[in-house]
Structure formats: structure tokens, C-alpha cells
Amino acid sequence: IMIVVVVLIWPMIHELFEPGGVDRVTSDIRNAGPWGFLILLAIQFLQIVVAFIPGEVVQVAAGMIYGPWVGALIIWLGCIISSSFIFVLVHKLGAPFVQAMVPEKYMGKFRDWETSDKFNVIVFIVALCAKLGAPTATPQIAVGSSILFLIPGLPKDVFTYITPLTHMSMKNFVLISNFARIPGIVLSTYAAAGLVSGNIVESVIIFAVTAAVAIVALVVYGRV
């Protein structure tokens, strides 16, 4: 299934990294009619499962094409489908599959988190901060805003692959992580839709407030 998805949308993925590519991809999806919904959903699925596509690009494109609420819904559905798929995949393939991607010293740190009685809260905060950090312009802020980056060098998307190895059920994982994604997704799509409609000041304010939240998170995340 993944091979088919990659082959079908690879030209579009490749275009995203070219100068002016986001505008061209946005136009292509908009002109695809009902298929545009499925194309964007596939790109979002690929972004989380393979994790090499910048999530910010997909969220902004969704807001520009479908508006703040429909765009956010598409991205959120993509997150639910992707995280559910990864959870099932990890349970089928087991720990060796994940350990091949994540060094043991990082896995050890994660196991310490798992034994905490606040593990559900940690999962929620990681998902929330990772998404709130997404729309900001400064990569360091986006990185620092996520508790996950207490583990140096571990991408936040890998967290989705590690959590299924814990005692957390699929139901709790999907509910907690995807509920936490909502604020960041809506902020991204709403600001992007504002850019298209000409509400530049409003969009800039949204991005600025989000950046401020990320900075505050950066300051206090060590204590949390």
C-alpha cells in the first residue's frame, strides 16, 4: 500500500521541495476537484508514516486550499489514520522494528518515562507542543517546545513509533495524541487561510502568538 501511495504522489512530493513548489502543488490539488481531498490526505499520511515531509507545509497547504476548518479536518483525519496505522504496524513487527531506527540509549530514556505515573500526560504534552511548535518560523523553538527533545537527536515523529511499545492501549494513544494535535492544526490552517484571503495582519498575529507559546514552552519544558 505504501509503495502505491508513494508512486502515485511522488511527483507532487518532489515538487514541494522545488522553488515555488508549494504554490504549484496547492494549485494542482485545488484543480483536482474531489480527488484533491484524497491527495492531501495521502500526503498527510505519508508525512507522518515516513516523516520526511515537513508537516508545516502540508498543514499550510490544507488551509490555503480548503479553508481553516475543512483543511484542519483533513489534516486531523490524516493524523488519526496514520497514528492508528503505525500503532498496528509496530504491534505486528515488534520491538526490533523500532529499535532498528532508535538507538538503545534513547529507548532506555523512554522506558524511564513509561514507568512514570504521568505517562499519559507526557504523551499529551509531547503531541501538543510538537504541533504548537509547527507553525513557528524558528526551527530551534519548534524543537525546544517539545518535551520529546529532552532526548537529543530524536525526531518528534519517532515518538509515534515508540509509544506502541509501551503499556498504553491503541484507543488511549489515538485519542490522547490526536486530541492534543487539534490546537496546532487549527492555528496552522487558520493562519494559512488568512494569508490567501488577504487577512495578513491576522495571520501574522496568529503566528506570533503561537511563537510566544512555543518560547514559553521552551523556557519551562525542563521543569515539566
Side-chain angles (χ1 to χ4, degrees), residues 144-203:
S145 66
S146 173
I147 284 182
L148 183 55
F149 284 88
L150 283 171
I151 302 180
L154 183 61
K156 64 180 181 293
D157 292 308
V158 175
F159 190 82
T160 310
Y161 280 88
I162 299 178
T163 307
L165 296 177
T166 69
H167 62 273
M168 181 175 283
S169 67
M170 178 176 175
K171 176 184 175 182
N172 287 346
F173 171 65
V174 173
L175 286 176
I176 291 173
S177 62
N178 287 293
F179 181 77
R181 295 176 192 265
I182 293 175
I185 292 174
V186 172
L187 283 171
S188 294
T189 55
Y190 195 88
L195 293 176
V196 174
S197 61
N199 297 325
I200 307 298
V201 175
E202 184 181 75
S203 295

Side-chain angles (χ1 to χ4, degrees), residues 3-18:
I3 290 174
V4 172
V5 171
V6 171
V7 169
L8 289 177
I9 68 174
W10 179 253
M12 199 166 284
I13 298 299
H14 182 268
E15 186 74 15
L16 283 174
F17 295 92
E18 299 295 327

Side-chain angles (χ1 to χ4, degrees), residues 34-97:
W35 288 105
F37 179 95
L38 295 177
I39 292 172
L40 191 60
L41 196 62
I43 294 176
Q44 175 63 17
F45 177 82
L46 198 61
Q47 187 271 317
I48 293 181
V49 172
V50 183
F52 68 87
I53 306 168
E56 300 88 341
V57 173
V58 185
Q59 292 174 34
V60 169
M64 293 173 67
I65 298 169
Y66 294 105
W69 305 115
V70 176
L73 179 61
I74 295 173
I75 297 299
W76 193 57
L77 285 176
C79 291
I80 293 175
I81 295 170
S82 304
S83 55
S84 301
F85 172 82
I86 290 173
F87 197 98
V88 173
L89 182 69
V90 170
H91 268 254
K92 291 292 184 182
L93 299 181
F97 169 67

Side-chain angles (χ1 to χ4, degrees), residues 109 113 116 118-119 121-126 128-129 144-148 150 216-224:
K109 178 63 177 178
W113 285 358
S116 168
K118 299 185 183 300
F119 183 67
V121 177
I122 291 176
V123 173
F124 179 86
I125 294 176
V126 169
L128 175 65
C129 290
S145 66
S146 173
I147 284 182
L148 183 55
L150 283 171
V216 172
L218 175 62
V219 173
V220 303
Y221 84 102
R223 180 180 301 175
V224 176

